[in-house]
Amino acid sequence: MTVSVTRFIRDLLRKPEAIPTPGAIFYNATVAIVLRKPETKIAHDIVEKMGSGTILDLGSGPGYLSIEIARKSPGLQVYGIDLSRQMVKIARRHARGVDNARFVFGNAARLPFKDNSIDLVISTGASHHWRTPRLVFDECYRVLKTGQEAWIYDGCPEVFHNPADRRRLKEEYGFFVGRLGPRISTLNGFTREEYQTVIKDILEQTAFKGNYQMALTDIWMKITLRKHQ
């Protein structure tokens, strides 16, 4: 394996698992806005898939994705969980008037939800912060209903390597995604090699073993995990 697991874990531990208060305010004013359009597309995909049920958003940040889903489909109950109290505070402020979106403080490695209670787990741009990803994946498996899925999206700089793809993404999402996307994906995500080696190795140690797929999707690497029957 080219990527060292020890180095990979060491690098993860250098990253804050929860965004501190000043960072949360900055994120809400900058990065979150850059990601609004790509996350709106994810919300559309989710609403097309589900008309009712319970969705859990891991690392929900300022809440834009959860709130967008809840607004588009009143039949869905959407919970966002984040390890930053400031992010939860911001998300709750954004969600005023949206009764089917709720935000709680908590750790994705110890989810405060019952077994077999969630119809879809989602996460965008958060997995690179997880200190114990194996535990998070196993928690996803525990709370999911049998036969249901988790959709985990995070950065992958290879999305932007092709000049034609960069132009397309810039045209679709604007200057900031086209210009800042490669940098954000490099700092906040994993390389394709890391997904295909280290992340795969972690997944093979979880309850999702053999029941997942990875694919470059839009500006993300998407990992689809399924709780088997």
Side-chain angles (χ1 to χ4, degrees):
M1 181 182 297
T2 304
V3 178
S4 163
V5 175
T6 301
R7 177 170 61 82
F8 182 85
I9 297 299
R10 186 171 62 244
D11 290 345
L12 276 184
L13 293 175
R14 289 196 187 108
K15 300 177 180 178
E17 193 167 22
I19 298 177
T21 295
I25 295 170
F26 175 79
Y27 185 96
N28 180 51
T30 56
V31 178
I33 293 174
V34 172
L35 297 179
R36 286 287 290 275
K37 285 186 177 180
E39 288 192 338
T40 297
K41 183 179 286 188
I42 293 173
H44 176 76
D45 292 343
I46 290 170
V47 170
E48 276 199 335
K49 174 184 171 65
M50 300 176 60
S52 61
T54 303
I55 293 175
L56 174 59
D57 183 2
L58 306 182
S60 49
Y64 292 125
L65 175 58
S66 296
I67 294 166
E68 183 72 15
I69 295 167
R71 283 177 171 157
K72 286 178 176 289
S73 185
L76 291 171
Q77 176 64 57
V78 187
Y79 292 96
I81 185 169
D82 204 284
L83 198 54
S84 165
R85 293 186 185 278
Q86 182 64 30
M87 282 295 197
V88 173
K89 183 179 178 180
I90 291 170
R92 287 174 175 170
R93 185 171 71 244
H94 290 161
R96 287 172 185 163
V98 185
D99 295 336
N100 58 326
R102 297 183 182 179
F103 295 92
V104 298
F105 168 78
N107 193 328
R110 296 186 299 275
L111 293 171
F113 296 90
K114 295 180 179 180
D115 296 359
N116 307 302
S117 61
I118 304 296
D119 295 285
L120 178 68
V121 175
I122 58 173
S123 180
T124 57
S127 65
H128 63 275
H129 286 291
W130 298 344
R131 294 282 180 88
T132 53
R134 183 181 62 78
L135 295 181
V136 176
F137 288 127
D138 276 335
E139 277 292 271
C140 291
Y141 189 93
R142 179 184 66 79
V143 301
L144 276 172
K145 296 178 182 178
T146 301
Q148 302 303 324
E149 294 180 342
W151 294 357
I152 310 299
Y153 299 82
D154 215 336
C156 183
E158 282 83 353
V159 169
F160 297 93
H161 279 189
N162 186 308
D165 288 337
R166 284 201 304 273
R167 287 193 298 271
R168 176 182 59 80
L169 292 170
K170 182 179 178 181
E171 290 173 1
E172 184 170 2
Y173 294 126
F175 171 80
F176 287 108
V177 170
R179 185 72 173 177
L180 300 180
R183 183 66 173 165
I184 292 172
S185 292
T186 299
L187 294 175
N188 301 282
F190 309 108
T191 65
R192 187 192 297 224
E193 182 183 12
E194 287 172 330
Y195 280 109
Q196 294 175 344
T197 55
V198 183
I199 301 299
K200 181 178 179 180
D201 184 63
I202 292 170
L203 287 169
E204 284 296 307
Q205 300 175 51
T206 73
F208 287 111
K209 180 178 180 179
N211 289 284
Y212 58 87
Q213 295 179 334
M214 299 183 188
L216 291 176
T217 305
D218 204 38
I219 68 167
W220 317 92
M221 176 69 82
K222 178 184 179 182
I223 306 175
T224 302
L225 310 108
R226 186 171 182 83
K227 183 169 181 176
H228 54 73
Q229 301 270 352

